[in-house]
Amino acid sequence: MKKTYRLMCSAVLLGGMLAGCSSSGESAKPAGETKQADASVNKAEKVKLTFWRNSGNDTENAAYEKLVAAFMEKHPNISIDMVPIPYSDYDTKLRVSIASGSPPDIMALDAPTLASYADAGALKPLTSYFKADGNMDDIPKSTLATYTYQNEIYMAPLTESSIALFYNKKLFQANGIPLPSKNPDEPWTWEQVLDAAKKLNDPAKGVFGIDPAQGFGNAGATAYFKYPIVWQFGGEIMSPDGKTAKGYLDSAATKKAIQFFSELYNKEQVSALEYPPEPFPNGKLAITIDGSWSLANLKEKYPSFKLGEDYDIAPLPKGTKQAVANGSWALGISAKSGHPDEAWTFINFVTGAEGQKIYCEMTKDIPSRYSAAKQFPELNEYPKNIFVVQNQKYGRPRPITPIFPQMADAVNKMFEDVTIGKRNIDTAVAEAVTAIDKAYADAEAQKKK
């Protein structure tokens, strides 16, 4: 194991990659060693840890404040200096702090960015900590896999989210269409969804059949909606090690998924490139794929559009299998932290069952742990049980690769080329594979400079 790590720090704004300069540091100490050493120096010494996170809404910020206060009350010898940073500035400031050698002890990261930080050596592996007292069996294996890079766990998850099929119940009933099952293990197939969308599509009245993946906006965000369709048809985006798209993105199953997606817009014309404002609650969109977070949004902004009366929710459709993307913001430890054991003590509290209960009671998010989710009756009942069960049983990581931004851009462009540009699928897919594999090769070459 090398005792130095390479910090890639140049392309912060362009691609989300760290590139260029290198820094050296001590090799990781076994869990417990640092704590014992500190204790031998001064048992009463108070350790101060810096904790950076992206600032959320008022409720999320208040929940974190409560967690920090609860932790410091239990651990008076550990002080947490929490620094919330606006989302738009967060990644840039964090990467600059790492490149300059002054990162926070604890940092929050969004799941897709994990591999770039871990690949650069900016994160301390947490595997030994998890095995010692992280209660790994309380977390779905697919969730832990989302925060694992090259066989090491680097992040501890706090919450999860999921997406499902939202449908206009009154439109279904008016057209004599049977309602989908609410059982998370009994989804409609995409063919059933298409059949319903064709019957519900009514251009004369400005009603669209389905929005299958929240449009073509930010590539990283739309990946959360588009990749499950590929998986559901038996396809893949990249190799399990995140090094290549060849043999995966260009597989027959992946191309079948892309073909189906594009035909919703072009051949079947049940989907549109542009929808009127808020089409679903306004009765202009019969079916949409949306997230668990939309329940509160619809209830707040459209109180007359009621769950159970005007709309309902069903599990995400399947092709040959069920699949949904997982991964959210999680907590990790800087490889340069002088107090990794104390940092783990904090992270293990925040992301443990007690911490998740505190946080999710306030935010109404979905806990990542089985035990925490069981403590909330509403998460075990319709409609939220659909999101919880899907994530726990059918969740999958988005590609874990240090070139996630470049990969996501290439895949999003591929979907746009085929769907909007009506390009030949084989050509568009081949270009995406080339772009992804070149991005990985370039990143590897940069690391060796």
mmCIF file of all heavy atoms in Angstrom, residues 190-213:
data_model
loop_
_atom_site.group_PDB
_atom_site.id
_atom_site.type_symbol
_atom_site.label_atom_id
_atom_site.label_comp_id
_atom_site.label_asym_id
_atom_site.label_seq_id
_atom_site.Cartn_x
_atom_site.Cartn_y
_atom_site.Cartn_z
ATOM 1 N N TRP A 190 -43.471 -2.362 -18.264
ATOM 2 C CA TRP A 190 -43.470 -1.165 -19.100
ATOM 3 C C TRP A 190 -44.471 -1.296 -20.247
ATOM 4 O O TRP A 190 -45.029 -0.292 -20.707
ATOM 5 C CB TRP A 190 -42.070 -0.891 -19.630
ATOM 6 C CG TRP A 190 -41.246 -0.070 -18.690
ATOM 7 C CD1 TRP A 190 -40.182 -0.480 -17.932
ATOM 8 C CD2 TRP A 190 -41.431 1.318 -18.398
ATOM 9 N NE1 TRP A 190 -39.695 0.560 -17.179
ATOM 10 C CE2 TRP A 190 -40.441 1.677 -17.450
ATOM 11 C CE3 TRP A 190 -42.332 2.287 -18.831
ATOM 12 C CZ2 TRP A 190 -40.325 2.975 -16.938
ATOM 13 C CZ3 TRP A 190 -42.229 3.580 -18.337
ATOM 14 C CH2 TRP A 190 -41.231 3.916 -17.400
ATOM 15 N N GLU A 191 -44.718 -2.503 -20.707
ATOM 16 C CA GLU A 191 -45.717 -2.692 -21.764
ATOM 17 C C GLU A 191 -47.115 -2.345 -21.265
ATOM 18 O O GLU A 191 -47.928 -1.763 -21.989
ATOM 19 C CB GLU A 191 -45.667 -4.140 -22.276
ATOM 20 C CG GLU A 191 -44.396 -4.483 -23.038
ATOM 21 C CD GLU A 191 -44.204 -3.638 -24.288
ATOM 22 O OE1 GLU A 191 -45.222 -3.193 -24.876
ATOM 23 O OE2 GLU A 191 -43.041 -3.401 -24.681
ATOM 24 N N GLN A 192 -47.411 -2.704 -20.019
ATOM 25 C CA GLN A 192 -48.701 -2.333 -19.435
ATOM 26 C C GLN A 192 -48.815 -0.818 -19.279
ATOM 27 O O GLN A 192 -49.872 -0.229 -19.528
ATOM 28 C CB GLN A 192 -48.885 -3.016 -18.077
ATOM 29 C CG GLN A 192 -49.149 -4.509 -18.139
ATOM 30 C CD GLN A 192 -49.216 -5.130 -16.758
ATOM 31 O OE1 GLN A 192 -48.224 -5.161 -16.024
ATOM 32 N NE2 GLN A 192 -50.394 -5.619 -16.387
ATOM 33 N N VAL A 193 -47.716 -0.204 -18.866
ATOM 34 C CA VAL A 193 -47.705 1.247 -18.722
ATOM 35 C C VAL A 193 -47.932 1.915 -20.071
ATOM 36 O O VAL A 193 -48.710 2.864 -20.202
ATOM 37 C CB VAL A 193 -46.381 1.717 -18.095
ATOM 38 C CG1 VAL A 193 -46.291 3.243 -18.101
ATOM 39 C CG2 VAL A 193 -46.241 1.196 -16.672
ATOM 40 N N LEU A 194 -47.251 1.416 -21.106
ATOM 41 C CA LEU A 194 -47.415 1.972 -22.446
ATOM 42 C C LEU A 194 -48.859 1.827 -22.926
ATOM 43 O O LEU A 194 -49.434 2.762 -23.499
ATOM 44 C CB LEU A 194 -46.465 1.283 -23.425
ATOM 45 C CG LEU A 194 -46.619 1.653 -24.902
ATOM 46 C CD1 LEU A 194 -46.454 3.156 -25.109
ATOM 47 C CD2 LEU A 194 -45.622 0.874 -25.758
ATOM 48 N N ASP A 195 -49.443 0.675 -22.680
ATOM 49 C CA ASP A 195 -50.828 0.446 -23.103
ATOM 50 C C ASP A 195 -51.766 1.460 -22.438
ATOM 51 O O ASP A 195 -52.653 2.034 -23.101
ATOM 52 C CB ASP A 195 -51.249 -0.972 -22.740
ATOM 53 C CG ASP A 195 -52.669 -1.290 -23.181
ATOM 54 O OD1 ASP A 195 -52.934 -1.285 -24.398
ATOM 55 O OD2 ASP A 195 -53.511 -1.546 -22.305
ATOM 56 N N ALA A 196 -51.569 1.696 -21.151
ATOM 57 C CA ALA A 196 -52.398 2.674 -20.436
ATOM 58 C C ALA A 196 -52.132 4.083 -20.955
ATOM 59 O O ALA A 196 -53.077 4.868 -21.158
ATOM 60 C CB ALA A 196 -52.124 2.601 -18.940
ATOM 61 N N ALA A 197 -50.850 4.413 -21.188
ATOM 62 C CA ALA A 197 -50.490 5.754 -21.660
ATOM 63 C C ALA A 197 -51.128 6.048 -23.015
ATOM 64 O O ALA A 197 -51.588 7.174 -23.270
ATOM 65 C CB ALA A 197 -48.976 5.894 -21.738
ATOM 66 N N LYS A 198 -51.192 5.042 -23.882
ATOM 67 C CA LYS A 198 -51.801 5.224 -25.208
ATOM 68 C C LYS A 198 -53.307 5.503 -25.090
ATOM 69 O O LYS A 198 -53.866 6.309 -25.830
ATOM 70 C CB LYS A 198 -51.541 3.988 -26.071
ATOM 71 C CG LYS A 198 -50.085 3.868 -26.503
ATOM 72 C CD LYS A 198 -49.733 2.474 -26.987
ATOM 73 C CE LYS A 198 -50.376 2.135 -28.300
ATOM 74 N NZ LYS A 198 -49.895 0.827 -28.819
ATOM 75 N N LYS A 199 -53.956 4.846 -24.153
ATOM 76 C CA LYS A 199 -55.390 5.049 -23.953
ATOM 77 C C LYS A 199 -55.687 6.395 -23.288
ATOM 78 O O LYS A 199 -56.763 6.976 -23.499
ATOM 79 C CB LYS A 199 -55.962 3.916 -23.093
ATOM 80 C CG LYS A 199 -55.922 2.552 -23.778
ATOM 81 C CD LYS A 199 -56.386 1.452 -22.833
ATOM 82 C CE LYS A 199 -56.327 0.081 -23.511
ATOM 83 N NZ LYS A 199 -56.682 -1.011 -22.574
ATOM 84 N N LEU A 200 -54.741 6.874 -22.485
ATOM 85 C CA LEU A 200 -54.937 8.115 -21.744
ATOM 86 C C LEU A 200 -54.486 9.346 -22.528
ATOM 87 O O LEU A 200 -54.914 10.462 -22.245
ATOM 88 C CB LEU A 200 -54.167 8.051 -20.416
ATOM 89 C CG LEU A 200 -54.682 7.008 -19.414
ATOM 90 C CD1 LEU A 200 -53.608 6.706 -18.377
ATOM 91 C CD2 LEU A 200 -55.942 7.512 -18.741
ATOM 92 N N ASN A 201 -53.616 9.151 -23.491
ATOM 93 C CA ASN A 201 -53.084 10.254 -24.290
ATOM 94 C C ASN A 201 -54.221 10.908 -25.081
ATOM 95 O O ASN A 201 -54.948 10.243 -25.811
ATOM 96 C CB ASN A 201 -52.019 9.722 -25.244
ATOM 97 C CG ASN A 201 -51.084 10.803 -25.736
ATOM 98 O OD1 ASN A 201 -50.482 11.509 -24.933
ATOM 99 N ND2 ASN A 201 -50.952 10.937 -27.049
ATOM 100 N N ASP A 202 -54.383 12.210 -24.939
ATOM 101 C CA ASP A 202 -55.502 12.907 -25.591
ATOM 102 C C ASP A 202 -55.028 14.290 -26.049
ATOM 103 O O ASP A 202 -55.256 15.299 -25.370
ATOM 104 C CB ASP A 202 -56.679 13.023 -24.628
ATOM 105 C CG ASP A 202 -57.951 13.480 -25.312
ATOM 106 O OD1 ASP A 202 -57.882 13.922 -26.477
ATOM 107 O OD2 ASP A 202 -59.017 13.390 -24.676
ATOM 108 N N PRO A 203 -54.337 14.356 -27.188
ATOM 109 C CA PRO A 203 -53.793 15.635 -27.675
ATOM 110 C C PRO A 203 -54.840 16.725 -27.812
ATOM 111 O O PRO A 203 -54.557 17.909 -27.577
ATOM 112 C CB PRO A 203 -53.198 15.254 -29.037
ATOM 113 C CG PRO A 203 -52.938 13.790 -28.954
ATOM 114 C CD PRO A 203 -54.031 13.237 -28.096
ATOM 115 N N ALA A 204 -56.061 16.354 -28.190
ATOM 116 C CA ALA A 204 -57.113 17.356 -28.368
ATOM 117 C C ALA A 204 -57.413 18.111 -27.078
ATOM 118 O O ALA A 204 -57.773 19.294 -27.102
ATOM 119 C CB ALA A 204 -58.380 16.676 -28.890
ATOM 120 N N LYS A 205 -57.246 17.424 -25.956
ATOM 121 C CA LYS A 205 -57.501 18.046 -24.652
ATOM 122 C C LYS A 205 -56.198 18.479 -23.965
ATOM 123 O O LYS A 205 -56.219 18.925 -22.817
ATOM 124 C CB LYS A 205 -58.267 17.088 -23.750
ATOM 125 C CG LYS A 205 -59.674 16.774 -24.247
ATOM 126 C CD LYS A 205 -60.399 15.860 -23.274
ATOM 127 C CE LYS A 205 -61.815 15.560 -23.746
ATOM 128 N NZ LYS A 205 -62.537 14.659 -22.805
ATOM 129 N N GLY A 206 -55.083 18.307 -24.669
ATOM 130 C CA GLY A 206 -53.795 18.687 -24.095
ATOM 131 C C GLY A 206 -53.332 17.775 -22.994
ATOM 132 O O GLY A 206 -52.537 18.174 -22.126
ATOM 133 N N VAL A 207 -53.795 16.517 -23.025
ATOM 134 C CA VAL A 207 -53.405 15.543 -22.002
ATOM 135 C C VAL A 207 -52.347 14.600 -22.571
ATOM 136 O O VAL A 207 -52.554 13.997 -23.637
ATOM 137 C CB VAL A 207 -54.622 14.720 -21.526
ATOM 138 C CG1 VAL A 207 -54.181 13.647 -20.529
ATOM 139 C CG2 VAL A 207 -55.668 15.631 -20.887
ATOM 140 N N PHE A 208 -51.221 14.488 -21.885
ATOM 141 C CA PHE A 208 -50.123 13.618 -22.307
ATOM 142 C C PHE A 208 -50.169 12.311 -21.526
ATOM 143 O O PHE A 208 -50.551 12.289 -20.352
ATOM 144 C CB PHE A 208 -48.781 14.305 -22.084
ATOM 145 C CG PHE A 208 -48.617 15.569 -22.886
ATOM 146 C CD1 PHE A 208 -49.014 16.802 -22.359
ATOM 147 C CD2 PHE A 208 -48.094 15.539 -24.169
ATOM 148 C CE1 PHE A 208 -48.873 17.963 -23.084
ATOM 149 C CE2 PHE A 208 -47.949 16.705 -24.916
ATOM 150 C CZ PHE A 208 -48.344 17.921 -24.373
ATOM 151 N N GLY A 209 -49.755 11.226 -22.179
ATOM 152 C CA GLY A 209 -49.821 9.914 -21.550
ATOM 153 C C GLY A 209 -48.853 9.723 -20.410
ATOM 154 O O GLY A 209 -49.238 9.310 -19.308
ATOM 155 N N ILE A 210 -47.547 10.049 -20.636
ATOM 156 C CA ILE A 210 -46.548 9.768 -19.610
ATOM 157 C C ILE A 210 -45.292 10.613 -19.783
ATOM 158 O O ILE A 210 -44.863 10.902 -20.902
ATOM 159 C CB ILE A 210 -46.153 8.268 -19.622
ATOM 160 C CG1 ILE A 210 -45.121 7.957 -18.512
ATOM 161 C CG2 ILE A 210 -45.624 7.844 -20.985
ATOM 162 C CD1 ILE A 210 -44.818 6.493 -18.339
ATOM 163 N N ASP A 211 -44.751 11.049 -18.674
ATOM 164 C CA ASP A 211 -43.389 11.601 -18.626
ATOM 165 C C ASP A 211 -42.552 10.511 -17.965
ATOM 166 O O ASP A 211 -42.640 10.296 -16.756
ATOM 167 C CB ASP A 211 -43.358 12.888 -17.807
ATOM 168 C CG ASP A 211 -41.953 13.476 -17.707
ATOM 169 O OD1 ASP A 211 -41.018 12.896 -18.290
ATOM 170 O OD2 ASP A 211 -41.796 14.525 -17.050
ATOM 171 N N PRO A 212 -41.713 9.790 -18.739
ATOM 172 C CA PRO A 212 -41.041 8.604 -18.205
ATOM 173 C C PRO A 212 -39.805 8.844 -17.355
ATOM 174 O O PRO A 212 -39.384 7.953 -16.620
ATOM 175 C CB PRO A 212 -40.655 7.844 -19.470
ATOM 176 C CG PRO A 212 -40.421 8.928 -20.476
ATOM 177 C CD PRO A 212 -41.441 9.990 -20.167
ATOM 178 N N ALA A 213 -39.199 10.058 -17.444
ATOM 179 C CA ALA A 213 -37.923 10.215 -16.732
ATOM 180 C C ALA A 213 -37.560 11.666 -16.443
ATOM 181 O O ALA A 213 -36.387 12.022 -16.441
ATOM 182 C CB ALA A 213 -36.805 9.551 -17.528
#
